[in-house]
Amino acid sequence: MPKKPEKESFVTEITPRSQDFSKWYLDVVARAELADYSPVKGCMVIRPYGYAIWELIQQALDRRIKASGHVNAYFPLFIPESLLNKEAEHVEGFAPQVAYVTHGGGELLAEKLVVRPTSEAIIGTMYAKWVQSWRDLPILINQWANVVRWEKVTRPFLRTTEFLWQEGHTAHETEEEAEAETLQILAMYKDTVETEMAVPVIEGRKSESEKFAGASRTYSIEALMGDGRALQAGTSHNLGQNFAKAFDITFQARDKSVQHVWGTSWGMTTRLVGAAIMVHGDDSGLVLPPRIAPFQVVIVPIGRDNWRETVLPTAQAIRQELAAAGIRVTLDDRDERPGWKFSEWEMRGVPLRLEIGPKDIEKSAVLLARRDTREKLGVPMDGIAARVRGLLDEIQQHLFERALAFRDEHTQRVTSYDEFKQVLEGRPGFVIAPWCGSVECEARIKADTQATIRNMPIDGAKPAGRCIRCDQESIAEAWFAKSY
Ligand SMILES: [Zn+2]
């Protein structure tokens, strides 16, 4: 039997998406060297290629956070247990997932320390010291950090016991200001995920049962993954005065009265890397949007045995030209066959492959291959940087439109519970349905179908129809989905 072409055998190492999406995801994470399992159960190691993707997302978000007037700071990893216990709902919500430090320096600690699951408690304690007058407000602080939430079932990037994130914590004079901040951040999150990651999201308000422990209101952005499950991509919480009262964050108001501040907190995490994989990837592996691709272009020299003499110098010159134009480019000059390299970089999701061989050099041209459409284009070397830049923008746009079309195809509006259940048994995705607002109906729906309310439109447009579960008047058209 003839030997299989190398490319084919290479690709079969990834389980097809349609066959087993979950296995496909884990295969891509492993094969593309994004993350690895660690000796600590539930904790992942983010490998350099995965970390480079995270860094690009992180930097894009950090730029927006700073441009909107927020500043970065850093608070301790450990929180005295008594501080976490101050806000009743907060501690109840997080207690099952908390990790404690009981010993330090070989001695039993007088008070257990919590490894932060989130930092409201420690930051609120500091704000109580820092805020005296309305002149000290608002406080607009963000922190980049790791947090720990003990998880039973974990999956790289999507749910891990330790993960990286940013957490913003702000304090304001008025309720209106806090609400405006919460929504401003939500819009910033949406812009980051849609613009940088080419992942369309729906923004909305969480139901009472799905809101952050201790918040007055939680808003989220939700994305649809390639298997039709939703993923919460970011949350922004209006904390009201709950934490201000628990941590005694007061200020002298303009009218000289003493009041509690109004707070917000908000976060996005390394699970965004998982979202990028699951929204854009295909059977050959990753498909990275150019803006978060560690390498936007890979140059692969083609040629006979003497390619190092005939092709490599021109390939190097092109690399320099692209790099000088601010394009992230790598040149694969390893001694492997070009076909093997093609598969390797396809699997790693590099948006554009630039092939160059002796004949191309004669014609003063190169071949560009798009990862998203697999289209191949002959392009003159002259003006190559501008052409590549234009193509990268096109790919970014195309990936967003493709994801949006997929979401639209997998979003249905229903008016009866039978229809609702039927849709969720078949092709998964978002199901928009009227809901009465009762916790009981929400719980029943979840028990019957595994679908939860992802969020509800913020504008609160008067919903048509009656609750699909109980037939009472609805308060909102909720977006339901099975989720990660
Ligand atoms: Zn109902």
Side-chain angles (χ1 to χ4, degrees), residues 152-185:
K152 290 194 175 73
V153 182
T154 59
R155 209 183 310 218
F157 294 110
L158 301 176
R159 197 172 291 280
T160 49
T161 292
E162 180 188 4
F163 58 89
L164 305 182
W165 76 343
Q166 58 68 220
E167 48 180 322
H169 296 267
T170 69
H172 306 264
E173 255 186 284
T174 66
E175 186 173 14
E176 294 70 32
E177 257 186 63
E179 179 69 5
E181 166 81 8
T182 314
L183 292 174
Q184 182 201 336
I185 295 298

Side-chain angles (χ1 to χ4, degrees), residues 434-438 441-442 445 467-473:
W435 170 58
C436 64
S438 96
C441 276
E442 190 184 8
I445 291 168
C467 176
I468 42 150
R469 221 301 278 179
C470 71
D471 208 37
Q472 300 294 306
E473 198 170 327

